[in-house]
Amino acid sequence: MIDFSKFNNLFSLTQYFNNDDVCKKAITESRCGVGDGQDVVCPYCGATHCKERKDGRYRCKGCKRNFSCLVGTIFQNTNITLVKWFMAMYLVSSHKKGISSCQLARDINVTQTTAWYMLQKIRTLFAQTDEVALEGSVECDEVYIGGKEKWKHSSMRTPNTQGRSTVTKTPVFGMCQRGIIVNNKGEEEQMSWVRAMVVERVNGTTILPIISQFVREGSYIITDECNIYNRVDDCGYNHMVVNHGIGEYVSEEDSSIFTNGIEGFWSHFRRMILGCYHDVSDFHLQAYINEAVYRWNTRKESQSFRFADMFAMAIGTIRKWSEIKGGAMAA
């Protein structure tokens, strides 16, 4: 099996994965445990011990179908070399604020359209789930993305878009669990884990079910004074409030009551959009949020760990082009 821990930079990655045969062998070994085809499982009928053909594909003894090791992965039916796919995944995982399709196109020598498509496929790996519930002290907050019209003439600006208006802005809700991890030196350090998603509207009817889904009952929910959180206590949580309206950002009664963690994530996310992608359509916004959440939650991990994790997800995930292209292309 491949030792992914040695891929701590792009040079070491491309030195090893220097052709498609090596890449396919890595995929086969990771999915089946061997590279000779003896225990390869048919993705169509589930039969084992499929026979390897001379062209590198496999023949199922059960359903008699031929298939590649790429079936069921994000690489299925691709015309792009696997070397470029692996480089793209590594660049996505190693850039703190992401990488634009224009930059990726230059880095791996493909067109901008192809690079955009690859990035959108890679972002499907970052989908958030509620398999592991947030617990302990969890900060909750909402943010509004887009809607800036400062470059428009005053006569063309949309009226009444200030504050929490969603006329030209998209609301996003986020939750941030505080915690402590032990680093490689054996020292304890603070850490936080985030879940975030686009919401249709910001009110108790929308927000409270999300909190109930992602946060373990009995946890401490820390929010600002917004009235959408008034019924959090009724849902089985301990609700604590910091009043931003009076200029309070850390409670005078308890220094652990603040929402600086989730606000730090919002700040990072805004800089990712403004500094790298410049603008994101509402249709694709959740995909970019998922990317930011994944990068935030793995920020203490090594580059080799993130690539290994993405590789494991990539060989078990597939999404069709028709499901991805949906809206106007973003950078």
Side-chain angles (χ1 to χ4, degrees):
M1 297 294 291
I2 298 174
D3 179 15
F4 283 90
S5 63
K6 64 184 179 181
F7 303 133
N8 55 5
N9 54 66
L10 185 61
F11 179 76
S12 61
L13 180 83
T14 53
Q15 282 288 97
Y16 185 86
F17 294 111
N18 53 16
N19 60 71
D20 274 16
D21 290 337
V22 174
C23 296
K24 289 181 178 179
K25 181 179 179 181
I27 293 172
T28 302
E29 290 182 352
S30 297
R31 299 183 79 178
C32 308
V34 293
D36 57 7
Q38 295 303 310
D39 291 321
V40 173
V41 178
C42 176
Y44 300 109
C45 69
T48 57
H49 300 288
C50 299
K51 184 177 180 181
E52 186 173 7
R53 293 159 44 102
K54 291 182 179 180
D55 61 0
R57 304 175 73 201
Y58 297 95
R59 175 76 173 179
C60 177
K61 297 180 180 179
C63 63
K64 308 301 182 184
R65 298 183 69 173
N66 299 325
F67 62 91
S68 163
C69 66
L70 305 184
V71 173
T73 74
I74 67 171
F75 316 118
Q76 182 174 344
N77 297 327
T78 183
N79 293 321
I80 308 165
T81 65
L82 294 177
V83 174
K84 291 186 177 182
W85 272 108
F86 284 19
M87 290 177 64
M89 289 197 302
Y90 197 91
L91 290 170
V92 169
S93 68
S94 60
H95 282 63
K96 185 176 181 180
K97 291 183 174 64
I99 182 171
S100 71
S101 58
C102 295
Q103 183 61 54
L104 181 63
R106 291 189 291 267
D107 288 346
I108 64 174
N109 193 28
V110 296
T111 66
Q112 185 272 335
T113 303
T114 297
W116 183 89
Y117 167 63
M118 294 173 71
L119 288 173
Q120 289 299 95
K121 266 212 163 184
I122 291 171
R123 289 187 184 106
T124 64
L125 306 178
F126 304 139
Q128 301 175 66
T129 70
D130 57 0
E131 293 180 5
V132 179
L134 302 178
E135 58 184 357
S137 296
V138 180
E139 304 170 20
C140 296
D141 191 30
E142 68 284 348
V143 73
Y144 297 83
I145 303 299
K148 291 187 177 181
E149 299 182 338
K150 62 181 180 180
W151 302 118
K152 285 187 178 181
H153 190 276
S154 58
S155 63
M156 300 179 64
R157 294 176 185 173
T158 307
N160 303 319
T161 61
Q162 297 80 8
R164 298 176 184 272
S165 170
T166 58
V167 176
T168 59
K169 293 176 284 190
T170 304
V172 181
F173 176 67
M175 299 156 285
C176 175
Q177 175 190 321
R178 301 176 189 168
I180 296 176
I181 61 172
V182 179
N183 59 27
N184 296 332
K185 299 179 181 179
E187 302 170 341
E188 291 186 348
E189 59 179 309
Q190 293 183 348
M191 178 62 180
S192 61
W193 297 268
V194 169
R195 299 287 187 276
M197 62 283 304
V198 175
V199 292
E200 185 176 353
R201 56 181 58 89
V202 180
N203 55 31
T205 304
T206 302
I207 299 303
L208 294 180
I210 296 176
I211 294 177
S212 298
Q213 177 184 355
F214 286 92
V215 182
R216 194 180 305 280
E217 189 174 340
S219 300
Y220 291 88
I221 301 295
I222 306 169
T223 71
D224 58 22
E225 73 281 7
C226 186
N227 59 15
I228 65 173
Y229 303 110
N230 288 347
R231 294 189 291 113
V232 167
D233 285 317
D234 299 336
C235 299
Y237 301 101
N238 301 295
H239 187 204
M240 296 179 289
V241 178
V242 56
N243 195 336
H244 291 169
I246 61 174
E248 181 184 61
Y249 294 95
V250 178
S251 173
E252 295 181 358
E253 299 177 359
D254 187 344
S255 60
S256 66
I257 302 178
F258 55 83
T259 57
N260 297 342
I262 186 63
E263 288 169 3
F265 171 73
W266 294 141
S267 177
H268 185 276
F269 177 64
R270 286 182 182 277
R271 282 167 172 76
M272 184 186 85
I273 296 298
L274 295 175
C276 184
Y277 304 117
H278 308 307
D279 189 29
V280 175
S281 68
D282 290 347
F283 183 89
H284 295 294
L285 179 58
Q286 186 62 56
Y288 288 87
I289 292 173
N290 293 342
E291 177 188 352
V293 167
Y294 178 82
R295 188 172 286 110
W296 180 271
N297 292 342
T298 59
R299 65 190 184 279
K300 301 288 186 180
E301 303 291 351
S302 64
Q303 294 185 29
S304 57
F305 172 88
R306 285 195 295 271
F307 175 76
D309 189 41
M310 291 174 61
F311 178 85
M313 293 187 291
I315 62 177
T317 305
I318 183 170
R319 195 177 182 198
K320 295 180 179 179
W321 165 248
S322 58
E323 297 173 336
I324 293 174
K325 65 180 181 180
M329 291 189 181

